[in-house]
Amino acid sequence: MAQNTIDIPISGMSCAACAGRVEKALAATEGVSDAGVNFATKKAMVGFDPAVFGPVRLVEVIRLACYVPEISHATLSLSGMTCAG
């Protein structure tokens, strides 16, 4: 199983319990192998299996937990391409 890790800035958390709610929601998501939310830095670090879902699903989980993921850009690694077409 290949694993990717992503850091997601989150706004709307006002206490450590908020961070705990986001962490619990992420950890309960199928395909997530590791989830940690740091209230002080306002970031989630999530390990996930890209064969199960992509980062967009993690953003949805954070939104469903009633917090705001702050995504401004994405860097993607692509493999398997053999030509410009």
Side-chain angles (χ1 to χ4, degrees):
M1 165 175 91
Q3 175 159 325
N4 288 356
T5 302
I6 187 170
D7 289 330
I8 305 172
I10 303 171
S11 64
M13 296 188 299
S14 59
C15 64
C18 294
R21 281 190 286 278
V22 175
E23 187 173 305
K24 184 176 178 182
L26 289 167
T29 303
E30 182 180 350
V32 170
S33 59
D34 185 38
V37 179
N38 186 312
F39 171 67
T41 63
K42 308 281 194 223
K43 288 185 181 180
M45 187 173 98
V46 186
F48 65 98
D49 181 353
V52 177
F53 60 81
V56 172
R57 176 67 182 133
L58 299 172
V59 168
E60 292 171 357
V61 169
I62 294 169
R63 285 188 178 135
L64 287 171
C66 300
Y67 298 94
V68 181
E70 297 179 1
I71 303 299
S72 59
H73 70 278
T75 302
L76 304 173
S77 296
L78 301 176
S79 62
M81 294 176 23
T82 59
C83 67

